[in-house]
Amino acid sequence: MKVKTLSENNNVVLYYPNSSKWLRFNESDFNFLINNYEFSELEEYYNIKSDGYLEARPCYNSVYISMTNKCNLECEFCVTQKIGNDREEQHTYDKELSNGDLEDFIIPYLKEISFNKIIITGGEPLCNTDLLNICRTLSENFGRANLILETNGLLLDKEMAKELSLLVNKIEISIENIMDDIKFKKHIEEISGIIHSLGTQLIFSYVITRKNINSLRKALDFSDENNSYLNYRFVQPFDNKIESLLLTKSDIKNIYAIFIDYLLEDKNKRKMNYGLDLIMNNVVPKSHCNAFGKTIAILPDGRVTICVNLQDEKFQIGKISDYNKIEKNKEQVLNRSNIKELFKHENEKKCKECIYIDFCGGLCISCRGHSHTYDSVECDLRKVIIRYNLFYHSKYNTIKANITSFLNILNEYFDI
């Protein structure tokens, strides 16, 4: 694969499409380099050709272990809620993973592969009464450094919070449902104090929908008050029934206005450093989304699929009880022509004509096509974030200058 370049704002970006690395030069420096050096010399000096994966074993960014489909909440935007309402999936909905499943099948499988992190998720993981034993077994086998627990936190009591904090590296608590509930907020505040006291990372997450934009500022302040960061996500259309929750271009502008007002209102150093993450993103060259070989999900009934959000039969790569066959099955599934075509976003006209295609990866397979509104908004927002990260953001700029650059690009695509 040949090296490629993109240029804008007197900057040139040098990258390989199949690498996870890119370099930015100002135009004068870049012209000097290409006039005095061969690309092969630049590759060796800057080490941009390899993505760094030297493992012989399959390497995954994320392994999702879905403990249960059950949950104590009924969030409209949740993919697990969709599964629970699907009659065809009802026979698997009540099943849960046990510590026995972990010891007999999951641990032996995980020792055959390599991965960056294990995400313990659901449903609501705390609805599975074997959660503590499962986290303990994972921690004993792989250490706590790679373990992340996702929960809404409402079933966490103080003792459980203490025990889990000693077994995992990070606990991510979703808070989009509690901003107007004083009792639940108080509960999460108490749990947060315990988690922090034991040195475990605490992240609050917030899925932004049209219905809860007005509570977003409260969520930012609540995160600040509890010495935690807010990991936000925009609602995604896993089916056609949540159109009323999806964000419009006007909503996107309002959301970033909230972020920027929050960021600039004082000189709190922690807030200023963190705040830039609200408009930053980990932009790297990629030919498709991580579901194509970089993630794997073990579901509550023991099925294994290429992504926690892709649970249809065509995406399944076996059962954890037959863990010796999973990697072979995965290669067969990803090599099927119909699966390859799904992940080839460059086949779509809009993508084919986009100069940022090598940094996008395409829209989420589980969401694509359910909503024209989502597809259009998500596509333009990715262009904004990619352009800002590649050509405009600089650690040498003031925060105000970086934000101004971001807003200028945002307004190009989201000028209402």
Side-chain angles (χ1 to χ4, degrees):
M1 180 67 72
K2 292 183 178 180
V3 68
K4 290 187 175 184
T5 60
L6 290 172
S7 60
E8 184 177 336
N9 192 36
N10 296 317
N11 289 314
V12 178
V13 168
L14 182 70
Y15 71 97
Y16 277 89
N18 290 334
S19 167
S20 60
K21 301 173 184 176
W22 55 274
L23 291 169
R24 180 171 69 192
F25 305 87
N26 64 49
E27 284 186 344
S28 59
D29 288 345
F30 181 76
N31 289 332
F32 172 81
L33 287 170
I34 62 172
N35 288 328
N36 290 276
Y37 297 93
E38 297 291 333
F39 269 127
S40 58
E41 294 177 277
L42 295 179
E43 290 170 3
E44 182 177 356
Y45 184 77
Y46 290 109
N47 189 26
I48 62 171
K49 192 169 184 179
S50 168
D51 64 4
Y53 290 120
L54 302 177
E55 291 268 7
R57 298 181 297 169
C59 181
Y60 294 97
N61 289 339
S62 306
V63 175
Y64 289 85
I65 300 179
S66 185
M67 306 286 300
T68 178
N69 285 318
K70 297 175 184 176
C71 188
N72 55 319
L73 297 175
E74 294 184 352
C75 302
E76 294 177 86
F77 54 77
C78 182
V79 66
T80 305
Q81 182 70 18
K82 170 184 175 291
I83 294 168
N85 293 332
D86 190 335
R87 289 184 179 181
E88 294 181 3
E89 299 287 351
Q90 283 294 327
H91 66 288
T92 66
Y93 183 71
D94 292 332
K95 295 187 177 180
E96 296 181 334
L97 291 175
S98 68
N99 194 49
D101 295 325
L102 202 75
E103 292 176 334
D104 294 341
F105 309 120
I106 298 175
I107 296 297
Y109 169 65
L110 293 180
K111 288 183 175 180
E112 291 183 354
I113 63 174
S114 61
F115 50 83
N116 295 329
K117 57 182 177 286
I118 296 174
I119 300 174
I120 304 159
T121 186
E124 168 51 51
L126 283 157
C127 287
N128 185 322
T129 56
D130 222 1
L131 173 64
L132 199 56
N133 289 328
I134 287 175
C135 289
R136 186 176 293 114
T137 299
L138 286 169
S139 183
E140 288 171 353
N141 280 273
F142 304 107
R144 63 190 289 261
N146 298 323
L147 302 184
I148 300 171
L149 173 65
E150 295 181 336
T151 174
N152 60 46
L154 300 181
L155 299 179
L156 262 180
D157 58 35
K158 294 180 181 180
E159 189 58 36
M160 179 69 85
K162 289 179 183 178
E163 293 190 70
L164 286 171
S165 294
L166 296 172
L167 297 174
V168 302
N169 181 54
K170 183 186 297 182
I171 296 178
E172 182 173 312
I173 299 178
S174 57
I175 61 171
E176 59 273 309
N177 291 295
I178 68 165
M179 285 300 96
D180 296 315
D181 193 306
I182 296 175
K183 178 182 176 181
F184 283 159
K185 285 176 70 175
K186 182 67 176 174
H187 171 73
I188 297 300
E189 286 173 351
E190 293 175 351
I191 296 301
S192 299
I194 292 170
I195 294 170
H196 281 306
S197 71
L198 294 169
T200 301
Q201 294 183 55
L202 174 65
I203 303 291
F204 290 141
S205 67
Y206 194 96
V207 177
I208 306 176
T209 74
R210 295 203 78 189
K211 291 184 178 181
N212 65 24
I213 293 175
N214 291 337
S215 296
L216 178 58
R217 178 54 198 257
K218 294 179 184 177
L220 288 163
D221 291 335
F222 184 75
S223 300
D224 234 22
E225 292 160 5
N226 288 277
N227 199 32
S228 298
Y229 295 136
L230 187 73
N231 179 19
Y232 73 92
R233 292 185 285 271
F234 296 142
V235 62
Q236 296 180 306
F238 295 115
D239 60 27
N240 300 315
K241 300 176 182 177
I242 62 170
E243 188 76 25
S244 63
L245 301 179
L246 300 181
L247 302 169
T248 65
K249 288 193 172 186
S250 177
D251 294 327
I252 295 294
K253 289 196 74 171
N254 290 338
I255 288 165
Y256 280 105
I258 292 169
F259 287 154
I260 290 166
D261 285 346
Y262 162 82
L263 177 58
L264 294 179
E265 72 174 8
D266 62 39
K267 300 296 183 182
N268 181 297
K269 186 176 180 181
R270 174 185 170 276
K271 182 186 287 188
M272 300 292 265
N273 290 336
Y274 152 58
L276 281 180
D277 291 339
L278 297 172
I279 58 176
M280 288 291 288
N281 203 295
N282 185 27
V283 172
V284 296
K286 54 184 177 181
S287 57
H288 38 65
C289 77
N290 284 336
F292 197 79
K294 286 299 181 182
T295 66
I296 196 165
I298 302 167
L299 305 181
D301 62 349
R303 290 177 297 158
V304 183
T305 182
I306 61 174
C307 174
V308 71
N309 294 329
L310 297 173
Q311 300 189 15
D312 294 346
E313 186 175 353
K314 63 186 174 186
F315 300 114
Q316 294 173 25
I317 54 177
K319 294 186 176 181
I320 196 59
S321 56
D322 290 326
Y323 63 87
N324 288 321
K325 300 177 181 178
I326 288 174
E327 289 306 312
K328 183 178 180 181
N329 291 344
K330 182 197 74 173
E331 294 304 319
Q332 291 175 346
V333 169
L334 295 183
N335 280 315
R336 290 175 186 161
S337 59
N338 63 325
I339 299 297
K340 283 184 175 181
E341 287 301 310
L342 277 176
F343 283 92
K344 281 186 178 179
H345 58 292
E346 64 268 24
N347 289 343
E348 298 190 22
K349 182 180 179 182
K350 193 173 185 179
C351 296
K352 192 181 297 184
E353 297 171 350
C354 179
I355 64 172
Y356 309 112
I357 184 172
D358 292 326
F359 287 86
C360 175
L363 297 180
C364 175
I365 300 298
S366 64
C367 303
R368 191 190 300 168
H370 288 307
S371 166
H372 175 72
T373 299
Y374 169 82
D375 289 358
S376 175
V377 170
E378 178 70 10
C379 182
D380 284 345
L381 184 58
R382 290 192 185 196
K383 291 175 184 174
V384 172
I385 291 171
I386 291 170
R387 284 181 62 195
Y388 170 73
N389 280 266
L390 292 184
F391 303 112
Y392 292 89
H393 176 78
S394 173
K395 63 182 180 182
Y396 301 111
N397 289 344
T398 64
I399 288 178
K400 188 172 183 179
N402 277 322
I403 288 174
T404 299
S405 295
F406 179 84
L407 286 176
N408 288 338
I409 303 170
L410 185 72
N411 287 331
E412 284 184 42
Y413 294 89
F414 291 80
D415 187 19
I416 311 302

